[in-house]
Amino acid sequence: MTNFPLDLIRFLRKATRVVALTGAGVSQESGLRTFRDAQSGLWAQFRPEDLATPQAFARDPKLVWDWYAYRRRAAQTAHPNAGHFALAEMEKKISQFTLVTQNVDGLHHAAGSKNILELHGNILSVRCSQCGAFADDWNEDRDEVPHCKKCNGLLRPNVVWFEESLPREQLDEAVQATRACQIFFSIGTSGAVQPAASLAHAAKAEGAVVVEVNAEATPLTYKADFSFSGKSGEILPELVKAVWEDQG
Ligand code: OAD
């Protein structure tokens, strides 16, 4: 059971503007692989430059399509865990709660969170690599990458690859919410990828209280005002309970 400082509990009870940034660690307890775990991380087994860049798709679209199809199936069959549900619960308690996620698995939506900014896209949707039109359905079984029904371009996952820009509106909103927030959570992210990683530092520079929840130490751990070491699926529900249920 985590022992939360009373200062943090009181501050959260009063807070009206909170941002939570999440990463792959939040979905780890739903059975989805993180990227940078030395043994089980996706980038321990695959090279991002072979699978997650526009050049990789141009070179071998089928390889890239199949890798994302495999991850899409994993996301489709996964269920939100207690950490996702705790964040959805937090949103109900705080008047302006913004969930900024690097995750593409859609599990925050499935858990009931509403105000979500998906900085790296969503693996469950597919768009044309030429005209950008979203595809409602496509044939997964064929030997080749499915084509756009409008322009015949190759379909691709609706995610952000390395060397691509993040969705402008989502990023702008995330930066605005970060600058205005009183409390910033960094949860289950290694802080290795920009610009998401810089948000916690921007929040701190603007005077927000920064809280980290992570299974391991990260570059943010010693800069955060509060760092909780452990699984987000355990710590976040305990925090919600301590702040809003155990009001003694
Ligand atoms: P990483 O794999 O880099 O980091 C996952 C973090 O979650 C690590 O710091 C782990 O210690 C932590 N962690 C693991 N299990 C946890 C648990 N149960 N509870 C809490 N923390 C846990 O994933 P991200 O930081 O999300 O980008 O990676 C950022 C981006 O890098 C991804 O969005 C992806 C990747 O390349 C793109 O594909 C564009």
Side-chain angles (χ1 to χ4, degrees):
M1 193 77 183
T2 314
N3 211 353
F4 300 104
L6 207 53
D7 280 0
L8 176 63
I9 292 180
R10 289 196 180 124
F11 199 36
L12 260 168
R13 276 184 194 148
K14 283 193 298 189
T16 52
R17 298 184 305 279
V18 173
V19 171
L21 170 72
T22 63
V26 167
S27 296
Q28 183 267 338
E29 290 155 88
S30 294
L32 298 180
R33 293 167 68 177
T34 64
F35 292 92
R36 291 179 182 79
D37 183 273
Q39 261 83 49
S40 63
L42 286 165
W43 295 153
Q45 188 184 353
F46 305 102
R47 289 173 1 130
E49 54 271 41
D50 291 340
L51 296 162
T53 67
Q55 293 81 354
F57 188 64
R59 206 167 40 237
D60 193 342
K62 183 71 174 125
L63 178 79
V64 173
W65 176 270
D66 285 347
W67 190 65
Y68 281 93
Y70 148 76
R71 288 183 53 209
R72 186 181 310 114
R73 281 192 294 275
Q76 274 165 340
T77 49
H79 299 287
N81 63 58
H84 295 107
F85 287 119
L87 287 166
E89 204 50 41
M90 233 188 242
E91 182 172 1
K92 291 185 196 151
K93 310 283 185 193
I94 293 166
S95 60
Q96 290 178 51
F97 184 85
T98 309
L99 184 55
V100 183
T101 189
Q102 300 162 90
N103 297 346
V104 296
D105 53 37
L107 289 179
H108 286 303
H109 288 282
S113 285
K114 302 278 182 251
N115 191 20
I116 306 174
L117 301 172
E118 291 179 314
L119 293 187
H120 292 168
N122 190 313
I123 203 169
L124 305 178
S125 64
V126 159
R127 63 183 154 90
C128 176
S129 61
Q130 296 301 313
C131 73
F134 282 87
D136 293 332
D137 62 283
W138 59 91
N139 191 345
E140 200 66 73
D141 301 328
R142 288 171 43 185
D143 293 336
E144 55 171 333
V145 175
H147 288 257
C148 173
K149 286 181 184 155
K150 294 198 170 104
C151 77
N152 207 36
L154 292 179
L155 294 181
R156 58 162 284 179
N158 181 33
V159 299
V160 176
W161 284 328
F162 288 97
E163 296 168 36
E164 289 186 322
S165 307
L166 272 61
R168 190 76 250 169
E169 272 181 29
Q170 311 254 325
L171 180 60
D172 286 350
E173 264 191 67
V175 170
Q176 268 179 29
T178 296
R179 286 201 181 128
C181 75
Q182 298 149 327
I183 305 183
F184 183 98
F185 284 92
S186 176
I187 308 166
T189 176
S190 61
V193 172
Q194 295 295 357
S198 66
L199 292 175
H201 302 280
K204 187 137 182 72
E206 295 287 338
V209 167
V210 173
V211 183
E212 183 181 60
V213 177
N214 199 302
E216 289 173 10
T218 76
L220 184 65
T221 305
Y222 301 102
K223 295 192 179 139
D225 297 283
F226 300 97
S227 287
F228 299 103
S229 175
K231 295 184 170 191
S232 48
E234 294 170 6
I235 292 174
L236 293 175
E238 287 173 5
L239 181 63
V240 168
K241 187 168 182 298
V243 175
W244 289 287
E245 290 170 29
D246 298 342
Q247 301 229 14

